[in-house]
């Protein structure tokens, strides 16, 4: 007949023995018991998968594993002081450890073979997909945008200059129908400046009391003016090609910011043997190579208010910053929020881990004794 | 099982934290709520300072020609 007895390591008098008061172990001892569990095995076999290290690791690991198996036998009771006493009473089981490691080794070898096959297959497929430049356009380099880092804001002076470039160079063909004048307030212009800018355009407004449509000067709440009435008019004026709306263009194109900058500054003569028909222009970054838009950014095309020299690259950088802001005006708030929340939640994760370990420590340190009665 | 007389309650950060905060649930809850309020203010202030340090000269307020368009009209 068998009887279960459970001994909690706590201030409990059990029979005539008095146990030591339980001590919650420090964090560096929290996971030492796990080396003999399945988690420990997974960690070991995963480590063994590194092909050029596996043999070396195995040899050095053999010596370590025997020591760990000894230790894990002790840590049924996870109490530092008992560790010292019980070490003498230890029975070492090296043969058992070897068997376990042997099957783990063949397992890890199979896993390594499968992994290698998968990787080589994937690599082969990707190489085929990436080879067609004419289809995808020339790959654009990654430029070091000032607003690139996790805590980097837009350069607001650049947004202002970029809006100026858009207004004077691009707005004759490209609409930005999702941006209103009021979006610029507090970002690139003061309220008075924006009101003055809006008042320069004429806006058609809804029926008056007599039922007639009328025109009025623009207000802050009006959207940016559209160059063409509809898409057909835009196509007709541009040889059949529709100049896309630029409100979201940096999000609507793959690697949008770098792509737009590369495109605007990438006009060049076609290579020998490539002929572009009349009405189109050669641009290697445009998929297909033949784009309907001519080169618009020419040195000195715009005179900046703050006196910055208006080179082609400067105008390209400013207009792309402006377009990036237009597509993602929430970026600064998003980055701040993300940084704060991830920081605080990481601390909360540490607290939650500690609290869980604290509450579970009673159960993790208990000992079940199976005993024969009579 | 021999009795071990080395019974020294080692301090450590976790031990002292437990003693101060986690002994009583009322203290724990008060600590959480007050800590959330004060902690949010502290984190906001700290991250804002870091943001300003990292983005010198790029703010809206730093635009050199702010307001000049109006004066041209």
């Amino acid at each position: 007949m068998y009887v279960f007895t459970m001994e909690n390591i706590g201030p409990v008098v059990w029979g005539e023995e008095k146990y030591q008061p339980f001590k919650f172990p420090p964090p560096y001892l929290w996971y030492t018991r796990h080396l003999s569990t399945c988690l420990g095995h997974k960690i070991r076999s995963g480590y063994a998968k590194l092909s050029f290290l596996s043999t070396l690791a195995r040899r050095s690991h053999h010596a370590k594993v025997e020591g760990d198996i000894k230790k894990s036998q002790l840590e049924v009771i996870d109490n530092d002081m008992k560790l010292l006493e019980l070490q003498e009473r230890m029975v070492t089981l090296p043969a058992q450890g070897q068997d376990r490691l042997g099957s783990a080794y063949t397992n890890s070898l199979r896993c390594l073979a499968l992994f290698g096959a998968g990787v080589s297959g994937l690599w082969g497929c990707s190489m085929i997909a990436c080879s067609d430049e004419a289809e995808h356009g020339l790959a654009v380099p990654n430029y070091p945008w000032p607003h690139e880092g996790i805590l980097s804001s837009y350069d607001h002076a650049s947004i202002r200059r970029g809006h100026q470039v858009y207004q004077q160079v691009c707005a004759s063909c490209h609409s930005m129908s999702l941006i209103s004048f009021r979006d610029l307030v507090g970002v690139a212009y003061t309220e008075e400046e924006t009101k003055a800018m809006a008042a320069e355009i004429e806006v058609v407004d809804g029926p008056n009391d007599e039922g007639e449509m009328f025109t009025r000067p623009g207000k802050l709440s009006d959207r940016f003016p559209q160059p063409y009435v509809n898409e057909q008019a835009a196509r007709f004026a541009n040889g059949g090609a529709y100049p896309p709306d630029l409100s979201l263009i940096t999000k609507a194109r793959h690697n949008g910011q770098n792509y737009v900058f590369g495109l605007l500054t990438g006009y060049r003569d076609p290579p020998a043997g490539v002929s572009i028909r009349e009405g189109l222009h050669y641009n290697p970054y445009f998929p297909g190579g033949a784009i309907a838009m001519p080169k618009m950014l020419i040195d000195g095309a715009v005179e900046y208010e703050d006196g910055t020299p208006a080179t082609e690259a400067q105008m390209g950088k400013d207009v792309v910053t402006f377009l990036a802001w237009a597509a993602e005006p929430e970026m600064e708030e998003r980055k701040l929020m993300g940084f704060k929340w991830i920081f605080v939640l990481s601390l909360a994760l540490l607290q939650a881990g500690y609290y869980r370990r604290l509450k579970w420590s009673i159960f993790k340190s208990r000992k079940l004794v199976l005993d024969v009665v009579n | 099982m021999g009795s071990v007389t080395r019974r020294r309650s080692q301090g450590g950060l976790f031990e002292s934290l437990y003693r101060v905060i986690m002994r009583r649930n009322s203290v724990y809850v008060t600590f959480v709520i007050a800590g959330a309020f004060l902690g949010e203010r502290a984190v906001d202030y700290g991250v804002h300072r870091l943001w300003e340090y990292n983005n010198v000269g790029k703010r809206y307020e730093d635009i050199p020609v702010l307001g000049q368009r109006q004066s041209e009209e």
Side-chain angles (χ1 to χ4, degrees), chain B:
Chain B
M1 206 165 282
S3 63
V4 183
T5 51
R6 284 175 286 161
R7 194 190 310 181
R8 200 167 25 119
S9 151
Q10 312 237 340
L13 176 64
F14 282 126
E15 292 287 333
S16 49
L17 218 62
Y18 175 79
R19 256 183 263 125
V20 173
I21 291 165
M22 299 188 77
R23 274 273 172 79
R24 299 183 144 277
N25 196 42
S26 55
V27 175
Y28 186 54
V29 170
T30 313
F31 172 73
V32 166
I33 294 175
F37 177 72
L38 296 171
E40 182 179 1
R41 287 186 63 182
V43 167
D44 270 351
Y45 176 74
V47 172
H48 207 70
R49 286 285 299 268
L50 199 63
W51 178 265
E52 307 249 296
Y53 168 75
N54 199 29
N55 294 305
V56 176
K58 293 199 277 186
R59 297 179 314 167
Y60 162 74
E61 292 81 12
D62 298 330
I63 297 179
V65 289
L66 208 54
Q68 279 181 18
R69 245 197 215 196
Q70 186 58 19
S71 61
E72 282 169 19
E73 302 287 324

Side-chain angles (χ1 to χ4, degrees), chain A residues 113-132:
Chain A
L114 275 170
F115 182 70
V119 163
S120 54
L122 209 67
W123 179 83
C125 292
S126 64
M127 287 312 291
I128 295 170
C130 289
S131 54
D132 198 355

Side-chain angles (χ1 to χ4, degrees), chain A residues 12-32:
Chain A
V12 167
V13 178
W14 184 262
E16 290 174 12
E17 295 159 304
K18 209 172 198 160
Y19 287 85
Q20 300 303 320
F22 172 68
K23 272 182 19 173
F24 185 45
Y28 67 85
L29 282 182
W30 282 2
Y31 294 105
T32 42

